[in-house]
Amino acid sequence: GIQVEQSPPDLILQEGANSTLRCNFSDSVNNLQWFHQNPWGQLINLFYIPSGTKQNGRLSATTVATERYSLLYISSSQTTDSGVYFCAVNGGATNKLIFGTGTLLAVQP
Amino acid sequence: KAGVTQTPRYLIKTRGQQVTLSCSPISGHRSVSWYQQTPGQGLQFLFEYFSETQRNKGNFPGRFSGRQFSNSRSEMNVSTLELGDSALYLCASSFSGDEQFFGPGTRLTVL
């Protein structure tokens, strides 16, 4: 099955700094999503981005499907950006999402 | 539009008992998927239901089962609970297989 790797596993930033999170996947995919897991456990949708580039405020994402990776950019980070960021893909005819192991981001004031 | 809702939010059970979790998808969404999240195994797919039919199943024992009703609401059941079933159970809905939206989860503790 498809393997999903995220890097870095942990990241500590000062408020105001920028960061880039990476997601590599081992095969072609139909769907790629980025999520932020809040402290209560809910997965918050950030981007649905099987290919191309999207922006939403201070966040943007780029997926290069032919090279099997996606990047999530966080600019001018805030303490509320802290938490775990997950990349998830599906590549078959099913709706099954395969998740990476996440990047734990801590933004310090 | 209301989001995905899950009940109950927290649950404590003892080994050997069974539990039923409920998920109501976003209005108009017909696909409901269930995932288990544990510190050791991460987020793993349990099963997906679409129009009351199980469309895909993950690698979990038969103690884990589910169903979907005609209004797209879904339930999952875990029988003969084990300590290792303690986890956050997340439900996701989508229209047909595109972007998935997750509920707040049910945190199950098995004692």
Side-chain angles (χ1 to χ4, degrees), chain A residues 17-103:
Chain A
N18 302 329
S19 62
T20 301
L21 282 56
R22 187 177 180 103
C23 172
N24 292 333
F25 43 96
S26 60
D27 206 344
S28 58
V29 298
N30 299 326
N31 173 11
L32 187 146
Q33 292 185 244
W34 283 98
F35 298 94
H36 177 210
Q37 189 163 40
N38 68 21
W40 297 273
Q42 184 163 8
L43 291 171
I44 307 300
N45 287 43
L46 297 177
F47 294 101
Y48 170 69
I49 187 165
S51 64
T53 297
K54 291 186 177 180
Q55 179 154 8
N56 184 5
R58 296 181 296 104
L59 274 58
S60 64
T62 294
T63 297
V64 184
T66 53
E67 296 188 23
R68 299 179 185 166
Y69 73 89
S70 183
L71 301 173
L72 177 68
Y73 306 95
I74 304 174
S75 64
S76 304
S77 57
Q78 301 174 357
T79 55
T80 52
D81 294 332
S82 297
V84 184
Y85 289 79
F86 287 102
C87 164
V89 305
N90 84 29
T94 73
N95 214 13
K96 169 185 174 180
L97 282 177
I98 299 166
F99 282 81
T101 51
T103 292

Side-chain angles (χ1 to χ4, degrees), chain B residues 18-111:
Chain B
Q18 74 167 18
V19 66
T20 299
L21 312 182
S22 180
C23 172
S24 292
I26 291 170
S27 177
H29 284 189
R30 295 190 295 166
S31 169
V32 174
S33 299
W34 289 89
Y35 295 82
Q36 180 196 64
Q37 185 177 28
T38 60
Q41 299 299 316
L43 278 150
Q44 292 188 292
F45 172 80
L46 280 157
F47 28 64
E48 182 209 359
Y49 287 86
F50 184 87
S51 294
E52 302 180 64
T53 300
Q54 186 180 86
R55 196 156 72 165
N56 196 18
K57 190 176 191 305
N59 189 24
F60 279 82
R63 299 183 298 106
F64 291 81
S65 63
R67 59 177 174 168
Q68 187 179 33
F69 302 95
S70 58
N71 62 358
S72 293
R73 188 177 70 86
S74 177
E75 290 182 346
M76 67 163 281
N77 184 276
V78 188
S79 62
T80 319
L81 284 166
E82 301 177 359
L83 295 178
D85 297 333
S86 294
L88 178 65
Y89 290 88
L90 293 163
C91 162
S93 82
S94 69
F95 179 67
S96 65
D98 47 7
E99 186 174 8
Q100 294 190 40
F101 296 86
F102 282 79
T106 294
R107 195 168 295 276
L108 171 65
T109 302
V110 182
L111 303 176

